[in-house]
């Protein structure tokens, strides 16, 4: 049953349907859904105030403007909740290969943003990571069990020297970084029983969505991949879909594994805004509009950059605090 409330509009008291706001998280450890929901809302409120929507801040944080939900699927990647994959402390060979390709794409992006001739710290880190990746590619799995995985950790440990990554406690070491990157591989694994994990994640995300009510979806990191596939399954309209720090444009790694294929904007999406920060090492550059076809209605990704002043950028809350990100979200929720 649709949730309705009375609001003033054009001098009249009218009944409106309260919109839904769904947050879809990305890679990482176990989440506390209510804590994260409040954190994302506070960040969105900060961005809304900067965007000139100060009058909507209380309505947003108190739940008067929209029913906000944090779609938490993190437990499905833990040893107790994992489906179709090993425990959180190990990777199988297919996952190691995927992480190696993902790291290769990330390092390639870094090298283009920070060419060696600049002599910057980022350029030096990219060069060191490339050296480890080249050694990984020329090596052999015959060196012993676990050796390939240990070499992968050399790469992720090197990347943690990047100024932005060093400023966060999200990944305390290279092994944790590698394991969390492997969540992308586990989600996209379509082989036999392992496909059950992706289906379970989408089911967790779609749970509670009401096709009779307006919907705004804000997805981050791996969550943008999950949301892409979930929105193709959803039968209701989506007023706005916002993607933050998305790896969807990492063509040879992620794009070719998406379902359905060929990739296209979900038909039920009314508008798609994609935001990226050039210092976000996990986000691909803004190629979504070129690599993911528009929907039958002509809707495609509209990509815009944001700058985070040297702060750690690959967190949803950092993105949401930007006026250019929060403004359209709040506008889509207003009656």
């Amino acid at each position: 049953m649709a949730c309705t409330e009375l609001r003033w509009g054009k001098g009249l008291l009218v009944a409106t349907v309260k919109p839904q706001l769904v947050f879809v998280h990305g890679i990482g450890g176990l989440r506390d859904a209510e804590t994260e929901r409040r954190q994302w809302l506070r960040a969105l409120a900060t961005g809304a105030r900067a965007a000139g929507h100060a009058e909507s801040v209380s309505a947003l944080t108190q739940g008067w403007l929209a029913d906000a939900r944090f779609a938490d699927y993190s437990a499905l990647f833990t040893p107790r909740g994992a489906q179709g994959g090993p425990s959180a402390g190990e990777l199988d060979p297919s996952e190691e290969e995927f992480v190696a390709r993902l790291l290769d794409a990330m390092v390639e992006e870094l090298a283009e943003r920070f060419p060696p001739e600049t002599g910057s710290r980022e350029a030096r880190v990219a060069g060191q990571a490339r050296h480890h990746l080249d050694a990984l590619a020329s090596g052999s799995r015959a060196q012993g069990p676990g050796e390939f995985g240990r070499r992968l950790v050399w790469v992720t440990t090197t990347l943690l020297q990047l100024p932005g990554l060093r400023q966060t406690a999200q990944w305390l070491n290279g092994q944790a970084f590698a394991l969390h990157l492997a969540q992308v591989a586990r989600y996209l694994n379509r082989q036999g029983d392992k496909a059950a994990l992706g289906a379970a994640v989408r089911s967790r995300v779609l749970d509670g969505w009401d096709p009779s009510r307006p919907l705004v979806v804000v997805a981050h990191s791996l969550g943008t991949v999950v949301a892409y596939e979930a929105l193709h399954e959803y039968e209701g309209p989506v007023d706005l879909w916002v993607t933050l720090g998305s790896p969807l444009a990492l063509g040879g790694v992620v794009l070719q594994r998406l379902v359905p294929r060929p990739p296209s904007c979900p038909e039920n999406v009314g508008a798609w805004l994609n935001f990226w920060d050039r210092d976000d090492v996990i986000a691909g550059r803004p190629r979504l509009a070129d690599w993911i076809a528009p929907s039958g209605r002509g809707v495609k990704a509209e990509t815009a950059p944001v700058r985070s002043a040297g702060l750690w950028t690959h967190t949803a809350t950092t993105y949401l605090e930007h006026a250019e990100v929060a403004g359209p979200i709040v506008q889509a929720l207003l009656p």
Side-chain angles (χ1 to χ4, degrees):
M1 182 176 179
C3 178
T4 60
E5 60 180 27
L6 296 177
R7 303 190 188 191
W8 285 101
K10 297 183 178 179
L12 299 173
L13 193 61
V14 297
T16 61
V17 178
K18 195 175 184 180
Q20 307 164 94
L21 173 61
V22 177
F23 298 130
V24 187
H25 67 82
I27 61 175
L30 278 172
R31 313 273 181 149
D32 181 299
E34 180 55 26
T35 298
E36 297 262 358
R37 186 185 73 87
R38 291 196 298 265
Q39 290 174 346
W40 287 44
L41 278 175
R42 283 197 298 268
L44 181 58
T46 298
R49 186 178 288 106
H53 290 290
E55 75 285 351
S56 299
V57 167
S58 293
L60 184 65
T61 56
Q62 297 300 318
W64 306 328
L65 185 61
D67 286 330
R69 174 174 170 268
F70 186 83
D72 180 16
Y73 57 84
S74 60
L76 297 174
F77 285 103
T78 67
R80 181 176 298 176
Q83 300 184 36
S87 72
E90 59 186 27
L91 303 179
D92 67 25
S94 67
E95 291 165 352
E96 290 179 343
E97 292 290 350
F98 180 93
V99 172
R101 293 184 63 193
L102 184 60
L103 288 169
D104 186 81
M106 290 165 56
V107 171
E108 182 180 353
E109 295 275 352
L110 272 174
E112 291 196 28
R113 297 177 203 174
F114 306 103
E117 57 269 21
T118 65
S120 67
R121 180 176 182 83
E122 290 85 353
R124 293 195 298 273
V125 170
Q128 293 168 4
R130 171 55 60 197
H131 172 76
H132 290 313
L133 280 169
D134 289 345
L136 189 69
S138 61
S140 169
R141 288 191 176 273
Q143 296 177 14
E147 181 61 24
F148 191 88
R150 284 190 288 271
R151 289 175 177 267
L152 276 179
V153 172
W154 292 355
V155 183
T156 52
T157 299
T158 298
L159 290 177
L160 287 178
Q161 298 176 40
L162 290 168
L165 292 179
R166 286 191 291 106
Q167 293 171 8
T168 180
Q170 183 173 5
W171 293 302
L172 298 178
N173 53 54
Q175 182 180 24
F177 191 12
L179 290 170
H180 285 170
L181 287 176
Q183 292 176 357
V184 184
R186 292 179 179 174
Y187 173 78
L188 290 171
N189 195 326
R190 318 291 186 182
Q191 302 299 316
D193 293 342
K194 293 184 178 181
L197 174 60
V201 168
R202 290 190 298 278
S203 177
R204 185 73 58 89
V205 168
L206 287 167
D207 182 47
W209 293 17
D210 184 352
S212 69
R213 297 169 58 191
L215 173 64
V216 172
V217 177
V218 179
H220 173 245
S221 183
L222 170 59
T224 68
V225 180
V226 175
Y228 168 86
E229 298 190 337
L231 289 172
H232 275 284
E233 298 176 6
Y234 183 57
E235 297 181 354
V238 182
D239 292 357
L240 175 64
W241 177 30
V242 177
T243 49
L244 311 171
S246 176
L248 281 167
L250 294 175
V253 186
V254 175
L255 194 68
Q256 295 176 2
R257 290 174 165 83
L258 295 177
V259 175
R261 287 190 291 264
S264 63
C265 177
E267 290 296 326
N268 52 359
V269 170
W272 177 7
L273 301 181
N274 177 61
F275 296 95
W276 71 295
D277 191 303
R278 71 185 301 270
D279 296 327
D280 184 346
V281 298
I282 296 177
R285 283 170 296 170
R287 301 180 178 127
L288 293 186
D290 298 327
W291 290 10
I292 296 183
S295 67
R297 297 190 293 163
V299 177
K300 63 179 181 179
E302 297 180 21
T303 293
V306 296
R307 293 303 305 270
S308 299
L311 299 175
W312 164 236
T313 59
H314 194 71
T315 59
T317 50
T318 300
Y319 277 100
L320 289 171
E321 289 173 351
H322 287 276
E324 55 266 50
V325 176
I329 297 173
V330 174
Q331 193 65 44
L333 296 172
L334 290 172

